[in-house]
Amino acid sequence: QLQLVESGGGLVQPGGSLRLSCAASGFNFNYYTIGWFRQAPGKGREGVSCISRSDGSTYYADSVKGRFTISRDNAKNTVYLQMNSLKPEDTAVYYCAAAWRTMCVFAATEYNNWGQGTQVTISS
């Protein structure tokens, strides 16, 4: 019943753009803070961005500030991650996750619902 589904991943050249979507079903998106995480080969899972439930405030990892933008459409139960000026270092599997919190956290252990992930590959 509880499900998060990512979409929008793919293969793009450096400098290109992608928009990832995270669609929720089975629960009310409005009660959850939503985070985006990524995991690259040989790396641990790292927080990329987060949008809070309480006031919609947003947070970004230093590595993506100025390039990525997170937003949410509560009416559609969907969160987006707009990714611009993509670099090869952004290559990873990207996951969205939901936490029953009012404010953003980047600790993966605080999130109890996860999507299946979508592959993002940046290569020339």
Side-chain angles (χ1 to χ4, degrees), residues 24-73:
S25 63
F27 61 96
N28 190 342
F29 224 36
N30 298 351
Y31 290 113
Y32 292 85
T33 288
I34 305 298
W36 283 96
F37 294 78
R38 67 186 182 187
Q39 188 160 18
K43 303 287 187 178
R45 189 168 296 185
E46 64 172 336
V48 175
S49 185
C50 182
I51 186 163
S52 70
R53 183 193 79 183
S54 59
D55 60 2
S57 59
T58 59
Y59 298 87
Y60 301 91
D62 288 342
S63 59
V64 306
K65 284 181 179 177
R67 300 188 297 120
F68 290 11
T69 303
I70 190 170
S71 61
R72 70 189 300 165
D73 186 338

Side-chain angles (χ1 to χ4, degrees), residues 1-4 24-28 113:
Q1 290 294 313
L2 301 178
Q3 189 174 24
L4 297 171
S25 63
F27 61 96
N28 190 342
N113 284 88

Side-chain angles (χ1 to χ4, degrees), residues 87-111:
K87 305 174 181 179
E89 306 94 276
D90 296 317
T91 295
V93 177
Y94 283 71
Y95 302 88
C96 67
W100 200 65
R101 289 182 168 272
T102 58
M103 298 183 67
C104 279
V105 294
F106 271 161
T109 54
E110 297 296 327
Y111 291 79

